[in-house]
């Protein structure tokens, strides 16, 4: 990976593909800031902010939060950065978000560098998400309200309809790298790094 001041990585992939875990490690090992929109939105819900109250029903239903809300959140996050060394996890999820991000990044002189796409077969995604919910419950941890089988399936549908088009969007710009997301965390991580060389 480049040692330049700016580095922008976008993790693409369906819910349950392991974006969050892989992005966390990449961020820690390469001095990048991970921006996870799911985490930011869930934090608003937990704190009961005005935004949190507005978006809770959408998260619970596995639907996307409106683009203008997400774009404003990301604009704020990027605003006070000097060098832009970031990994986006869960953003952009629609074409409108991708276009808005391109404009923001262009203004900052920090174009997108890498877009790993984590590929995992559909049935395995649902199994992983349901298992994640069960494990959290067994450990006495908070279970994500959208980690039920029904909502997990809806999130996959939303991915196919709204986010899948971004594969072509970034593919056409030459940034996309397909990564086999089946295997151990270490194996998948090694493949991601390979793709960014
Ligand atoms: P997953 O990838 O497992 O579905 P995330 O934590 O990325 O989980 O997102 C959880 C939920 O937060 C989504 O189902 C959606 O409601 C909302 N969300 C997160 N990121 C976005 C985004 N970029 N645009 C719209 N909604 C989002």
């Amino acid at each position: 990976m480049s040692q330049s001041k700016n580095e922008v990585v976008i993790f693409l992939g369906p819910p349950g593909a392991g974006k969050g875990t892989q992005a966390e490690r990449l961020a820690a090992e390469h001095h990048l800031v991970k921006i996870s929109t799911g985490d930011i939105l869930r934090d608003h819900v937990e704190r009961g902010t005005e935004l949190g109250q507005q978006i809770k029903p959408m998260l619970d239903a596995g639907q996307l939060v409106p683009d203008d809300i997400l774009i404003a959140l990301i604009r704020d996050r990027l605003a006070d950065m000097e060098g832009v060394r970031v990994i986006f996890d869960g953003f952009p999820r629609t074409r409108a978000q991708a276009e808005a991000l391109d404009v923001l990044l262009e203004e900052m002189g920090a174009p997108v560098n890498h877009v790993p796409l984590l590929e995992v077969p559909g049935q395995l995604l649902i199994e992983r998400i349901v298992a994640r919910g069960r494990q959290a419950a067994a450990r006495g941890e908070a279970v994500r309200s959208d980690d039920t089988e029904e909502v997990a399936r809806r999130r996959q549908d939303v991915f196919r309809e709204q986010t899948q088009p971004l594969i072509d969007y970034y593919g056409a710009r030459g940034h996309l790298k397909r990564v086999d997301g089946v295997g151990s965390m270490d194996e998948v991580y090694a493949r991601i790094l390979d793709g960014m060389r």
Side-chain angles (χ1 to χ4, degrees):
M1 251 170 61
S2 119
Q3 297 299 311
S4 73
K5 201 170 90 174
N6 298 324
E7 186 81 31
V8 177
V9 181
I10 296 173
F11 267 71
L12 273 189
K19 299 184 297 292
T21 313
Q22 299 292 346
E24 184 86 48
R25 179 163 172 194
L26 190 67
E29 294 184 7
H30 292 266
H31 306 287
L32 297 154
V33 176
K34 182 177 84 136
I35 300 181
S36 165
T37 47
D39 288 349
I40 295 170
L41 298 174
R42 276 189 292 277
D43 181 58
H44 273 278
V45 172
E46 273 157 34
R47 288 187 290 122
T49 65
E50 201 173 311
L51 174 63
Q53 293 174 34
Q54 183 191 345
I55 64 176
K56 184 177 187 325
M58 304 171 199
L59 266 73
D60 287 349
Q63 282 157 0
L64 294 188
V65 171
D67 288 332
D68 54 344
I69 293 179
L70 267 298
I71 294 165
L73 273 178
I74 296 297
R75 185 181 294 121
D76 283 354
R77 282 285 151 132
L78 295 178
D80 40 329
M81 286 190 180
E82 278 187 21
V84 186
R85 295 186 56 80
V86 292
I87 302 182
F88 290 100
D89 160 29
F91 182 91
R93 254 178 162 89
T94 65
R95 188 169 175 112
Q97 291 178 16
E99 287 171 354
L101 180 62
D102 274 344
V103 172
L104 283 173
L105 292 175
E106 196 173 320
E107 283 167 9
M108 304 184 80
V112 174
N113 299 100
H114 303 283
V115 184
L117 165 66
L118 287 184
E119 298 187 296
V120 175
Q123 185 51 39
L124 190 55
L125 293 168
I126 305 290
E127 284 168 20
R128 282 187 183 180
I129 290 173
V130 172
R132 173 168 77 189
R134 291 216 184 97
Q135 279 157 13
R139 286 197 294 259
E141 294 166 8
V143 178
R144 270 176 60 170
S145 56
D146 59 351
D147 273 357
T148 62
E149 179 162 352
E150 190 199 345
V151 180
R153 286 193 192 284
R154 185 138 356 112
R155 281 153 58 205
Q156 303 300 330
D157 293 342
V158 169
F159 175 80
R160 271 192 296 276
E161 286 158 20
Q162 315 229 41
T163 310
Q164 203 128 279
L166 297 186
I167 296 173
D168 289 339
Y169 183 88
Y170 290 110
R173 286 162 176 70
H175 300 309
L176 194 84
K177 285 277 156 39
R178 291 179 186 271
V179 175
D180 178 1
V182 181
S184 70
M185 303 238 231
D186 286 345
E187 283 163 352
V188 176
Y189 185 70
R191 290 177 199 143
I192 292 169
L193 287 186
D194 261 357
M196 297 199 317
R197 262 195 257 279

